[in-house]
Amino acid sequence: MKKISYLLFAIGFVTSSYAQNAKIKGTLINSTNKKPIPYVTIELNKKTKTYSNDNGSFQFLKLEPGTYKLSFTALGLEDKIIDSISIKTADDVIDLSKISIEEKNIQIAEITVIGSTGIYNEKYASSNSVVSKAELERTQAIGSEEVLKKVVGVNVSGDMGISNRLNIGIRGSYPRRSEHLLVLEDGTPIAPAQYLAPEAYYNPPSDRLDGIEIIKGADVLSLGSNTMYGVVNYITKRPPSTPTLDLTLTGGENGYNAQYLSYGGTWNKTGAEIQVLNKHFDGFIQNSQSDIFNTTAKIFSDLTEKSSIYAKVNYHQETSKASYSAITPYTYNINPKLNPFDADDLFSKRYAIDLAHKYKANKNVTLTTKVYANQFQRDWWRQENTLIKANAAEKYLGSEIYNSERYSYLANNTNEDEDWIRVGVVAGGKEKTRARNRTFKVAGVQETLNYNWEKNSLKGNFETGIKYHAEQFNDVEFINDSSRFSRSGKLDKDNKFLLGAVSGYVKNKFTYGKISFTPTVRYEWLEMRRFDLKKIAENKYNTGSKNFGSNLNTFTTLLAGASFNYELLNNEKNNLQLFTGAYQGYTPPTSGYGFLTVTDGVVTNPTPTDEINIEAETSLNFEAGFRGNLLEQKIETQTTYFNNNINNFYSAGRNEAFQTLGSVTIQGVEANAIVNMHKIVSMPNQNLSIGVAYTAMQSVITSGKLNDADILRAKHTDESKAELVNKINTERNGFEIYFADAKGKDSLITRELTDADFSKIKKMNYVFGKDGIKNNAAPYIPTSIININVSYGFGNLLVSANYNKVAAQYTDYINLTNETLEGAMGKLPSFNTIDANVSYSFKNAKNKYLSGLTLFFAGKNLTNEVYKASRLHRVSSGIMPGGFRQLNAGLKLKI
């Protein structure tokens, strides 16, 4: 009996072991674009549950013989059921291969699923790039600039090492505050004021993002204004398919700590989630700490089979020691982290709400209504700064300030006569501080109609939209009345701006076999007013009428564009598409220059009798390229040639403006590819991907007369003076040089200059074109940017590394190579960064808490090689350093 018992036990053990070898697996793909779909809930017989991974794959292990049913559910996707799956033996492997799931016709764009793999989104006919959720999770970014630097065509210009304000250029756009780009969150403009003040003073934390889209071609015409260079669309996290608690805790160097908590799920046909983020960072440089609190609530619901709604409410608050002032070369060489401005305080808060409703009138017609509103307040008290020689610091600052800890570095260094430093402006023994407080109120409503049609072999998708958008911008400045920490004072400026805009677009995608053609037309009408409230209040003739003393500018813009696509290959193994397109882009006048007069191309401030008539900057943008998946998605690639011709150009950069409207040509090549080595070489239970993104750009200023208010204010070295004089003499017709004559008036000088003449120059203009300066490049356009990313996964372990190299770049229109003594001008040397990330997931653990745990480590700028990242504020600031190392670690828990 004992032997029989052992035999029966052995048989049972072997049988159970074999029974545990059976499995069901598959990969979920989007039925439209054939891309993998991650994070779909899959239930087995309504008992066991799992989720598709980053590659859309899933599997159920250790199954016994029997009949099984799979249910697939996810927000925005049609439910799908596969039943009667039969496992007959203990070691059956049921491979369902690729399972197509359709997007819902009533899906609202704001909860669109972005695939976690791939470098572009096929829903756009033109070139575009995607930063996936998987990439965001791998990077564990402090801010979105950290992941955007990996995108082709994007140049990141650092601000205090890293800031909460976006500073990027796309295809050569000026990067300061990303003001020449359209920045969206879930399709809604998020700049403080899209038209009047498009500077990115608000940027959603990367912690609450599911992905980022960067759109560059003719598709931008349907997305909004300010579309000359490109669009950034942040996709925020959507409610999960099942009730889930998500907790992420991160800590690291420089006092960095972040806590992210969310809870949400989908009940019946309604998904809802609330997210809370709290973050603190001491910053890379002195006096640069910041605190961020951000909370979001969102809900999505299928009301009926024909309609759905979406709502999102967000509150964001930032308290930072943010400075406009940077450092000089002298200070940079001593310690690039030095920052004596301890009274710079930025406080901002933002309230925002988005509402959307989609109605399916019939199988071919849908209507989408969207309403949005937000209010953004920015109170920024900044110390006034000035440049002085280091050896004159004690005399200028006074003993009390000079002997403070903020300037202790001066006592330990030998100062030469040409060593300049940046200090606070001192008056009456006190350092001056000025408030630049701004409040923005924005609201809009948009209606979009989408109609699918078909006639014989010709298919079409017709789309039209109309939007009304309103803005109010209050700009107030105070001068402090006591210490540098005083937050009250004398009113010095009080301006108000109002804007109303009506826009509409029409586009139709025609598809015939392998060919598609998408023409688009956009129209915009704008009316903007400026009120100098302080001046109006002091006017004794004030009648109290609604628009008394205001300035008015009204203009219209009609833009057109088209994309052409041809499917060269389209089969199970290969998909390769050729594309080309052209469109007219534009940048509308902002509050800063929207109230000027242009006469025969010459820009002036209007007299009371002049007409305010400055119009939008315009461009003609062309691109051509190819993209696709090759060898069964072993390789994905997108390569694009682009050429942007910009006209009517006025707003060149900080303290740089065209006096006669200019033109600039920017062209380049963007090449991007991901190679999935694990699909090429047999690598069981392993994933190895190598990604390369390469951008080559060049630019030339082809016409216009430009005035650079900083060129003569800068503290020049003998080398920079000699370089400027040589530039003037080499292309003498390209420079208007004025000396002060005996009567103090400007006198035009046409002869060649000597080095000794430089100090006599009172005013200087640059004249570009065939008879002037011929080959100068626009600033902040590096000739090349290369990014290499390697990601390796083995079981639950994931390791990735990234190398980014940015070539040297000019920072001004004169293309000065030598650095000036305050650091405001001169070419930026090339630089590179190396990042690495490691994570380990316990997803196979039997304990439900442990199975949702992931540990991670993130290293940024591992070599700690500090570089000169930008001179974005020029003479007002100097050198903005970058390249500081940051080591973070943390955990993610999903229950």
Side-chain angles (χ1 to χ4, degrees):
M1 290 298 296
K2 196 171 183 180
K3 289 181 179 180
I4 292 173
S5 298
Y6 278 127
L7 179 61
L8 291 174
F9 176 80
I11 293 172
F13 178 80
V14 171
T15 302
S16 63
S17 297
Y18 274 104
Q20 291 176 349
N21 288 335
K23 65 181 178 181
I24 299 173
K25 65 179 183 177
T27 301
L28 304 181
I29 62 171
N30 188 304
S31 61
T32 302
N33 59 27
K34 310 304 179 186
K35 293 275 183 89
I37 308 176
Y39 320 121
V40 174
T41 302
I42 305 125
E43 289 186 295
L44 184 72
N45 287 351
K46 295 293 183 180
K47 294 180 180 180
T48 307
K49 181 172 59 179
T50 189
Y51 304 92
S52 58
N53 65 14
D54 291 340
N55 299 313
S57 299
F58 70 93
Q59 61 180 355
F60 289 94
L61 304 174
K62 303 178 182 179
L63 302 178
E64 296 179 357
T67 301
Y68 293 90
K69 180 173 74 172
L70 292 178
S71 302
F72 305 87
T73 58
L75 274 177
L77 300 176
E78 296 286 356
D79 292 344
K80 189 178 183 72
I81 295 176
I82 301 177
D83 54 13
S84 300
I85 303 172
S86 178
I87 293 180
K88 297 179 180 179
T89 66
D91 57 356
D92 273 359
V93 176
I94 308 299
D95 188 352
L96 300 174
S97 189
K98 295 179 180 179
I99 304 168
S100 294
I101 300 183
E102 295 184 359
E103 294 182 5
K104 288 184 178 179
N105 286 333
I106 57 172
Q107 177 183 222
I108 293 177
E110 280 72 11
I111 59 103
T112 297
V113 178
I114 288 188
S116 63
T117 59
I119 56 179
Y120 63 89
N121 193 330
E122 288 187 354
K123 76 176 182 179
Y124 298 111
S126 55
S127 65
N128 68 92
S129 300
V130 168
V131 177
S132 67
K133 179 178 181 178
E135 180 63 30
L136 288 167
E137 290 186 344
R138 276 195 298 267
T139 306
Q140 292 297 323
I142 295 177
S144 58
E145 289 178 356
E146 192 179 332
V147 288
L148 286 170
K149 73 178 182 181
K150 305 176 185 179
V151 176
V152 288
V154 175
N155 181 34
V156 175
S157 292
D159 182 354
M160 299 179 69
I162 192 169
S163 78
N164 302 315
R165 285 152 292 286
L166 189 65
N167 293 290
I168 66 167
I170 294 179
R171 289 185 174 176
S173 66
Y174 195 72
R176 184 176 178 272
R177 300 288 185 258
S178 306
E179 60 182 321
H180 291 295
L181 304 175
L182 175 61
V183 184
L184 310 172
E185 180 178 304
D186 295 328
T188 301
I190 59 170
Q194 179 183 350
Y195 294 93
L196 290 170
E199 299 92 345
Y201 281 101
Y202 165 72
N203 196 43
S206 57
D207 311 68
R208 65 180 190 88
L209 298 179
D210 255 358
I212 308 174
E213 297 176 326
I214 301 91
I215 306 102
K216 306 166 188 171
D219 285 297
V220 302
L221 290 179
S222 61
L223 298 175
S225 65
N226 209 2
T227 51
M228 185 180 291
Y229 300 94
V231 176
V232 176
N233 184 28
Y234 293 108
I235 308 296
T236 62
K237 293 184 177 181
R238 61 193 179 95
S241 299
T242 57
T244 303
L245 177 69
D246 190 344
L247 173 66
T248 303
L249 302 176
T250 309
E253 290 184 293
N254 300 304
Y256 183 87
N257 65 84
Q259 306 86 39
Y260 172 82
L261 177 68
S262 70
Y263 178 77
T266 302
W267 296 269
N268 294 323
K269 295 184 178 181
T270 298
E273 185 174 46
I274 185 166
Q275 306 162 356
V276 179
L277 170 68
N278 185 67
K279 181 184 290 190
H280 172 83
F281 187 37
D282 286 341
F284 293 114
I285 66 175
Q286 295 174 355
N287 300 312
S288 63
Q289 60 265 34
S290 65
D291 290 277
I292 288 177
F293 177 79
N294 187 294
T295 183
T296 302
K298 58 172 59 178
I299 185 171
F300 170 79
S301 181
D302 292 344
L303 299 177
T304 67
E305 291 299 317
K306 289 192 172 185
S307 68
S308 60
I309 61 168
Y310 167 84
K312 180 179 71 175
V313 179
N314 173 256
Y315 173 74
H316 178 90
Q317 178 178 302
E318 177 187 351
T319 304
S320 297
K321 301 292 289 184
S323 182
Y324 232 51
S325 305
I327 54 180
T328 66
Y330 170 74
T331 311
Y332 178 89
N333 291 330
I334 294 173
N335 182 357
K337 293 188 175 185
L338 290 172
N339 175 30
F341 298 95
D342 60 348
D344 286 349
D345 288 314
L346 170 67
F347 173 77
S348 66
K349 59 183 178 180
R350 182 179 187 268
Y351 309 88
I353 183 170
D354 287 6
L355 301 171
H357 175 263
K358 190 168 186 177
Y359 174 71
K360 179 183 175 183
N362 56 51
K363 67 177 183 178
N364 293 322
V365 178
T366 59
L367 288 168
T368 304
T369 304
K370 185 171 188 177
V371 179
Y372 59 88
N374 64 74
Q375 177 174 308
F376 179 77
Q377 177 186 339
R378 189 208 81 179
D379 291 351
W380 199 350
W381 287 84
R382 299 201 305 258
Q383 286 185 252
E384 301 286 90
N385 73 72
T386 188
L387 287 163
I388 62 171
K389 291 185 176 183
N391 54 23
E394 184 171 13
K395 179 179 179 181
Y396 176 81
L397 295 171
S399 297
E400 182 179 351
I401 298 174
Y402 177 79
N403 291 320
S404 67
E405 180 65 25
R406 293 181 294 146
Y407 295 103
S408 60
Y409 72 93
L410 293 172
N412 301 320
N413 290 279
T414 302
N415 305 321
E416 303 294 337
D417 190 55
E418 289 195 341
D419 292 335
W420 291 80
I421 61 172
R422 195 173 297 275
V423 300
V425 173
V426 178
K430 299 176 182 178
E431 294 174 86
K432 296 177 64 176
T433 304
R434 175 183 287 266
R436 295 164 175 85
N437 299 342
R438 299 174 180 177
T439 303
F440 306 87
K441 297 179 181 179
V442 173
V445 58
Q446 177 174 317
E447 189 74 31
T448 305
L449 167 70
N450 195 286
Y451 170 56
N452 294 311
W453 56 271
E454 186 173 349
K455 187 173 183 180
N456 298 324
S457 298
L458 184 65
K459 297 179 181 180
N461 175 258
F462 174 81
E463 183 179 311
T464 184
I466 186 169
K467 179 169 71 174
Y468 174 73
H469 178 92
E471 298 177 356
Q472 177 176 319
F473 167 28
N474 291 85
D475 186 9
V476 179
E477 294 188 7
F478 295 91
I479 301 174
N480 70 318
D481 51 14
S482 51
S483 76
R484 66 183 185 277
F485 296 106
S486 169
R487 296 301 175 254
S488 62
K490 178 183 177 182
L491 179 67
D492 190 53
K493 177 181 178 181
D494 189 1
N495 289 339
K496 182 175 77 171
F497 302 87
L498 298 175
L499 178 137
V502 177
S503 62
Y505 71 91
V506 177
K507 75 174 184 180
N508 196 104
K509 181 179 180 180
F510 299 91
T511 303
Y512 182 80
K514 297 181 178 181
I515 298 173
S516 64
F517 176 67
T518 311
T520 306
V521 176
R522 182 178 186 85
Y523 172 82
E524 295 215 5
W525 172 89
L526 275 75
E527 179 180 275
M528 50 198 299
R529 282 189 179 273
R530 177 180 63 183
F531 299 81
D532 185 336
L533 297 179
K534 188 171 182 291
K535 185 177 179 181
I536 292 172
E538 294 169 350
N539 190 332
K540 64 180 180 181
Y541 300 107
N542 189 344
T543 63
S545 61
K546 179 180 178 181
N547 295 320
F548 178 85
S550 66
N551 304 111
L552 173 67
N553 188 7
T554 302
F555 64 90
T556 61
T557 301
L558 182 66
L559 307 168
S563 297
F564 177 86
N565 300 70
Y566 175 72
E567 287 190 351
L568 188 65
L569 296 172
N570 189 5
N571 53 50
E572 287 295 321
K573 292 186 176 181
N574 300 297
N575 177 278
L576 188 62
Q577 185 182 89
L578 306 180
F579 64 89
T580 186
Y583 76 97
Q584 295 170 289
Y586 94 115
T587 301
T590 66
S591 61
Y593 70 93
F595 298 93
L596 299 173
T597 292
V598 181
T599 305
D600 296 327
V602 179
V603 184
T604 58
N605 285 306
T607 67
T609 59
D610 286 338
E611 177 187 6
I612 295 174
N613 63 350
I614 193 166
E615 296 183 353
E617 299 171 345
T618 60
S619 67
L620 178 60
N621 299 0
F622 169 81
E623 67 174 14
F626 62 87
R627 64 188 185 189
N629 292 282
L630 305 174
L631 306 175
E632 295 183 293
Q633 296 191 345
K634 294 181 176 67
I635 300 173
E636 182 172 11
T637 184
Q638 179 177 247
T639 298
T640 311
Y641 164 77
F642 67 90
N643 187 299
N644 297 345
N645 290 284
I646 302 156
N647 298 297
N648 206 38
F649 197 38
Y650 173 76
S651 180
R654 184 170 179 82
N655 290 330
E656 295 172 295
F658 279 92
Q659 304 305 299
T660 61
L661 296 175
S663 59
V664 178
T665 297
I666 305 170
Q667 62 180 330
V669 174
E670 301 168 343
N672 202 6
I674 292 178
V675 180
N676 295 309
M677 296 299 299
H678 57 279
K679 294 183 179 181
I680 299 175
V681 180
S682 178
M683 302 177 66
N685 301 318
Q686 300 176 75
N687 292 286
L688 176 60
S689 297
I690 301 173
V692 178
Y694 176 75
T695 305
M697 291 188 289
Q698 64 178 27
S699 64
V700 61
I701 310 160
T702 53
S703 68
K705 181 195 294 185
L706 182 139
N707 177 260
D708 184 347
D710 279 353
I711 186 66
L712 297 177
R713 294 172 56 209
K715 309 299 182 183
H716 286 277
T717 65
D718 290 340
E719 291 78 11
S720 65
K721 291 177 184 178
E723 182 184 357
L724 276 171
V725 170
N726 182 62
K727 285 178 178 290
I728 292 169
N729 292 336
T730 301
E731 296 182 287
R732 191 62 187 84
N733 292 334
F735 294 86
E736 294 180 349
I737 306 297
Y738 294 86
F739 289 178
D741 62 17
K743 297 181 179 180
K745 295 183 178 180
D746 296 343
S747 176
L748 180 65
I749 304 298
T750 58
R751 63 173 172 82
E752 289 193 355
L753 305 183
T754 65
D755 290 351
D757 288 327
F758 186 83
S759 60
K760 303 175 185 177
I761 301 175
K762 183 180 180 183
K763 188 173 75 172
M764 178 165 54
N765 295 323
Y766 316 145
V767 181
F768 298 99
K770 63 179 181 179
D771 296 324
I773 304 172
K774 298 180 181 63
N775 297 309
N776 275 30
Y780 292 101
I781 302 181
T783 54
S784 66
I785 304 173
I786 186 168
N787 190 87
I788 301 173
N789 188 78
V790 179
S791 177
Y792 173 74
F794 178 69
N796 296 345
L797 179 68
L798 179 63
V799 180
S800 64
N802 182 264
Y803 173 78
N804 185 261
K805 183 177 180 60
V806 181
Q809 52 195 302
Y810 292 112
T811 61
D812 48 65
Y813 283 81
I814 195 60
N815 289 181
L816 192 67
T817 298
N818 288 286
E819 187 176 55
T820 52
L821 292 168
E822 81 295 307
M825 305 185 73
K827 198 172 187 179
L828 291 176
S830 65
F831 61 88
N832 60 75
T833 58
I834 298 175
D835 306 328
N837 302 275
V838 180
S839 66
Y840 185 84
S841 171
F842 295 85
K843 59 185 177 182
N844 295 328
K846 293 182 179 180
N847 183 286
K848 72 173 184 177
Y849 298 104
L850 190 59
S851 65
L853 177 65
T854 300
L855 304 178
F856 62 85
F857 167 82
K860 296 114 180 17
N861 298 325
L862 292 176
T863 58
N864 201 30
E865 294 183 14
V866 179
Y867 56 84
K868 297 173 182 178
S870 74
R871 313 181 196 276
L872 286 180
H873 312 305
R874 310 190 75 219
V875 168
S876 299
S877 64
I879 300 168
M880 295 284 186
F884 303 102
R885 184 183 61 203
Q886 178 69 27
L887 303 178
N888 289 344
L891 63 85
K892 286 177 171 288
L893 181 63
K894 288 189 177 184
I895 304 174

